[in-house]
Amino acid sequence: MDYGKVIKEIYAEISDVKKEGKVADYIPELSVVDPDKFGITLITSEGRIHSAGDSDERFSIQSISKVFTLSMAFSLLGDKIWDRTGVEPSGSPFNSIVQLEYEKGKPRNPFINAGALVVCDILFSKRADPKNEILGFVRKLAGCGSINYNMKVAESERSAGYRNAALINMMRSYGNIKNPVEKVLDLYYTVCSIELTCTELAKAFLHYTNIRKDFDICGYTLTRSQIRRINALMLCCGLYDESGEFAFEVGLPGKSGVGGGIAAVNPDHYSVAVWSPLINEKGNSVAGMKFLERLTTITDDSIF
Ligand code: GLU
């Protein structure tokens, strides 16, 4: 398959499409991002890199970071992690609070905000310096030592973070947050602010395409079975309450963020990262989803 050619073709096709959606403005600092940015990188399992557009510009990966923090916590706790968070799609918005009360403070899955806050709480309990530890892990996964947090974005989110504060306080009241809420929120906002390029993101996700080899990054080990389970979670829960639509249209495990990025994997074949800051009302990049739908349609290859 000539992925380079396919990507260039879809890139041209998508650029002509009038972009719908709007930049995330509930985090003030994200609203200043140029809405016309569009980048894509696909890396084959043999390591061939194919890119187009703004693929080497860093952007705020936001919730895509939830895959990395889950990987670390899953490695540290093993199956005990599922006592703290479920593995079911939520069918509700990423920052919804309603289920948390019905389900006694246990989030539906680790990829909605509530679940990621629990994962941050676990890393806070288990690690003396979780911010540095997470940064080191992501740098190693992506193979780039200059990746960093954007503290302006983290601060901006904190200033408007009433929803996340409500979620974490609700979970704390049920005993599912063990550390001071302000400290865990600070870790969560910092991790969400991490910035990667499409190429760095695709490199990081390449590790999740390899379902035949155990994973060991900075001493965090995951078995093949654990990698497959992370892929299963991405498929069922990775695009908030649009995960069904993404499985239906694209057919790959993936994770999105409100910064407009989507990273996805076709196990044994490739990883791919797209970025376009214009998101729909569910929080997913409109052009990014369209691009990935065209990719799996034209190549006639998804996980199904
Ligand atoms: N930091 C964002 C929030 O908590 C992440 C949301 C996202 O990318 O889905 O609202």
Side-chain angles (χ1 to χ4, degrees), residues 67 76 80 82 90 94 114 194 199 203 206 227 241 298:
V67 176
L76 290 169
K80 282 208 168 321
W82 312 124
S90 70
F94 62 94
I194 199 165
T199 304
K203 278 188 188 160
L206 197 58
I227 293 286
D241 49 338
I298 291 175

Side-chain angles (χ1 to χ4, degrees), residues 54-96:
D54 303 305
S55 56
D56 287 323
E57 190 167 321
R58 289 203 171 128
F59 64 95
S60 195
I61 71 164
Q62 292 294 319
S63 275
I64 302 174
S65 64
K66 292 175 169 70
V67 176
F68 305 140
T69 46
L70 171 68
S71 302
M72 295 171 75
F74 197 12
S75 167
L76 290 169
L77 284 197
D79 282 341
K80 282 208 168 321
I81 192 172
W82 312 124
D83 297 339
R84 306 276 305 273
T85 168
V87 295
E88 294 294 342
S90 70
S92 305
F94 62 94
N95 56 4
S96 167

Side-chain angles (χ1 to χ4, degrees), residues 7 16 27 73 101 114 117 119 144 159 171 173 185 191 193 219 233 238 260 285 287 290:
I7 279 174
D16 289 345
I27 300 175
E101 188 172 12
L117 286 162
V119 167
C144 180
S159 72
M171 292 190 289
S173 77
L185 277 175
V191 174
S193 79
L233 279 167
S285 168
K290 182 75 190 152

Side-chain angles (χ1 to χ4, degrees), residues 111-123:
F111 292 154
I112 49 174
N113 288 14
L117 286 162
V118 165
V119 167
C120 281
D121 186 58
I122 291 168
L123 294 175

Side-chain angles (χ1 to χ4, degrees), residues 148-258:
N148 222 329
Y149 299 126
N150 180 332
M151 293 319 290
K152 231 170 135 184
V153 171
E155 198 40 59
S156 167
E157 186 171 6
R158 188 195 335 271
S159 72
Y162 307 109
R163 229 10 130 101
N164 287 319
L167 293 171
I168 197 167
N169 277 293
M170 174 72 88
M171 292 190 289
R172 172 99 195 190
S173 77
Y174 283 104
N176 198 16
I177 292 290
K178 317 288 181 194
N179 297 287
V181 294
E182 284 312 322
K183 302 240 187 244
V184 181
L185 277 175
D186 174 60
L187 178 60
Y188 173 79
Y189 293 140
T190 305
V191 174
C192 284
S193 79
I194 199 165
E195 296 181 332
L196 274 74
T197 67
C198 287
T199 304
E200 289 162 350
L201 203 48
K203 278 188 188 160
F205 270 72
L206 197 58
H207 297 270
Y208 299 89
T209 65
N210 200 338
I211 50 171
R212 296 180 204 291
K213 207 174 113 221
D214 294 349
F215 166 115
D216 184 353
I217 300 287
C218 304
Y220 290 89
T221 56
L222 290 169
T223 63
R224 286 163 290 194
S225 159
Q226 286 175 309
I227 293 286
R228 286 196 293 269
R229 285 178 179 179
I230 292 174
N231 275 319
L233 279 167
M234 286 201 271
L235 185 75
C236 298
C237 318
L239 276 89
Y240 319 116
D241 49 338
E242 209 168 25
S243 300
E245 178 82 11
F246 190 74
F248 184 77
E249 298 279 347
V250 178
L252 298 178
K255 183 74 202 84
S256 60
V258 294

